[in-house]
Amino acid sequence: MKTILEFTELLIEISKIEDVDFSGIGLIFYSSLDNLDFILMKDNTILSNKLVKGKSELLAFIQEISHHNNYFHDGFHLINEKLELTHLSTFVSPKIDNDLIILDEYGSRYRTAVYSSLCPGIIATGVIGKSYGPFILQNGKICNLNL
């Protein structure tokens, strides 16, 4: 199993991408998806032919798909505990915790990351917006990104 540290390092590297076409990114790092409701928004056949794994491969692939004009730019991308990309462009619908206080200056991607991080089997979520982030979330809370 890869560590939360490696996931954090990946998100920090993604946040350093300087590209005007960067659309933002939502990542879910998981050990199990049994408690997370999601559906593919795009055909994921590409993953049948190409295993994307490890920080350097993930970084290059995510940089490529995070452009507004890329077919896979939308939704959350799911990464298993071996640091392998398993699902692209998913619509995620986590259970909403109405008692949780969430910063209101960020949008839907951020809120989805917060609520998804509460699901059993989700190790962490990561989110970067065009004008914010990176944020790593565990159990509904922002984690310290100091490595």
Side-chain angles (χ1 to χ4, degrees), residues 9-29:
E9 290 170 346
L10 172 66
L11 200 72
I12 289 170
E13 288 301 313
I14 294 168
S15 74
K16 294 177 183 175
I17 296 170
E18 294 184 11
D19 189 330
V20 294
D21 289 328
F22 179 72
S23 62
I25 194 83
L27 301 174
I28 296 178
F29 186 44

Side-chain angles (χ1 to χ4, degrees), residues 51-87:
L51 178 63
V52 181
K53 63 180 181 172
K55 283 189 301 189
S56 60
E57 281 187 35
L58 281 167
L59 181 60
F61 191 75
I62 288 169
Q63 183 172 8
E64 179 184 331
I65 66 172
S66 295
H67 289 233
H68 280 291
N69 62 350
N70 190 285
Y71 179 73
F72 294 110
H73 83 275
D74 203 10
F76 276 75
H77 310 299
L78 311 183
I79 299 170
N80 68 18
E81 59 192 343
K82 296 176 190 172
L83 218 61
E84 298 169 335
L85 184 62
T86 60
H87 301 77

